[in-house]
């Protein structure tokens, strides 16, 4: 708040881009769990994101679009009128924030990953989540267990459909989409190597 007060007092507020965000949430008792970890319940992955730039962005805009923290880097580059490198995973929020595009749509899915962040613990895990706005799928490296939730009918994520035979076709389709989404986070790097390799 003190930073915002100084920006206001010095007349810089209109042309200052401010982002309020969190890198992750906390479970704090949700599903009998505390803190965070290799779990992808909404309390952990659905975090605040508030962006303000009065001179350029729409005021009072609220959006239900699927966005990711990786979208912030290309947003800032576009705000600074710099080229967004082709290999960046994120997608700029600039058109959404300026009213050029539908504020309630940004991308078809989001992903989240927890990658061996607690190596000192036994059986530390690597998990990846895929969410399309309704269905959330979670797979774990080296495990046969998984999670599938329908947040439309089960917003509290209490009914795991992973083992329900009635959802086997949907699960297979989501696993394929999940795989494609995961591949899209990695650049083949051909263009980068050609431009930057010394050989």
């Amino acid at each position: 708040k003190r930073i915002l007060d100084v920006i206001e007092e010095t007349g810089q507020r209109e042309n200052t881009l401010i982002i309020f965000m969190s890198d992750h949430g906390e479970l704090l008792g949700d599903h009998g769990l505390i803190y965070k970890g290799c779990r992808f319940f909404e309390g952990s992955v659905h975090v605040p994101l508030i962006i303000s730039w009065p001179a350029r962005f729409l005021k009072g805009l609220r959006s239900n679009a699927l966005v990711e923290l990786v979208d912030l880097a290309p947003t800032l580059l576009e705000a600074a009128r710099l080229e967004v490198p082709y290999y960046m995973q994120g997608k700029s929020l600039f058109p959404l924030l300026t009213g050029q595009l539908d504020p309630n749509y940004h991308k078809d899915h989001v992903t989240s990953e927890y990658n061996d962040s607690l190596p000192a613990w036994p059986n530390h895990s690597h998990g990846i989540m895929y969410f399309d706005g309704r269905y959330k799928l979670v797979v774990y490296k080296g495990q046969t267990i998984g999670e599938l939730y329908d947040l439309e009918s089960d917003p509290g994520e209490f009914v795991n459909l992973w083992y329900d035979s009635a959802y086997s076709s949907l699960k297979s389709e989501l696993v394929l989409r999940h795989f494609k989404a995961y591949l899209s986070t990695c650049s083949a790097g051909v263009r980068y190597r050609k431009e930057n390799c010394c050989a």
Side-chain angles (χ1 to χ4, degrees):
K1 179 159 185 329
R2 287 180 296 174
I3 295 174
L4 292 177
D5 288 342
V6 171
I7 291 172
E8 192 77 52
E9 291 164 7
T10 55
Q12 301 178 77
R13 180 67 187 89
E14 281 293 306
N15 203 32
T16 298
L17 197 165
I18 297 170
I19 299 176
F20 176 85
M21 54 170 275
S22 174
D23 59 340
H24 60 79
E26 299 287 348
L27 290 166
L28 299 177
D30 289 356
H31 299 270
L33 302 167
I34 59 172
Y35 307 127
K36 57 187 172 76
C38 197
R39 297 290 182 270
F40 299 91
F41 296 118
E42 287 293 276
S44 255
V45 297
H46 196 158
V47 298
L49 178 60
I50 302 172
I51 304 177
S52 173
W53 187 3
R56 297 295 306 276
F57 295 158
L58 297 176
K59 296 177 183 177
L61 173 68
R62 295 177 65 90
S63 171
N64 292 315
L66 294 174
V67 303
E68 301 171 284
L69 294 180
V70 292
D71 297 330
L72 293 178
T75 301
L76 292 171
L77 287 171
E78 187 167 354
R81 298 180 183 174
L82 297 173
E83 181 182 356
V84 177
Y86 79 95
Y87 50 80
M88 292 194 93
Q89 294 178 29
K91 178 182 176 185
S92 175
L93 296 164
F94 208 85
L96 185 152
L97 295 166
T98 54
Q100 299 171 54
L101 296 176
D102 178 1
N104 288 307
Y105 176 80
H106 183 61
K107 51 178 63 169
D108 294 327
H109 65 268
V110 292
T111 62
S112 182
E113 183 174 6
Y114 189 95
N115 188 4
D116 294 341
S117 295
L118 300 172
W121 287 30
N123 302 317
H124 52 281
S125 52
H126 179 185
I128 310 171
M129 177 207 81
Y130 170 92
F131 180 55
D132 64 9
R134 177 175 179 178
Y135 294 107
K136 180 182 290 186
L137 183 90
V138 180
V139 295
Y140 298 97
K141 178 183 177 183
Q143 304 294 327
T144 58
I145 61 172
E147 294 169 79
L148 171 59
Y149 301 104
D150 180 352
L151 271 72
E152 186 174 286
S153 61
D154 177 31
E157 300 169 285
F158 292 114
V159 182
N160 184 2
L161 303 170
W162 181 268
Y163 305 99
D164 190 330
S165 59
Y167 288 85
S168 58
S169 293
L170 174 64
K171 182 173 79 171
S172 296
E173 175 62 29
L174 291 172
V175 166
L176 179 59
R177 290 185 203 169
H178 190 289
F179 179 67
K180 290 179 178 178
Y182 187 66
L183 286 178
S184 72
T185 67
C186 305
S187 169
V190 175
R191 177 177 164 191
Y192 179 82
R193 285 198 301 270
K194 285 181 179 177
E195 292 177 354
N196 296 281
C197 183
C198 57

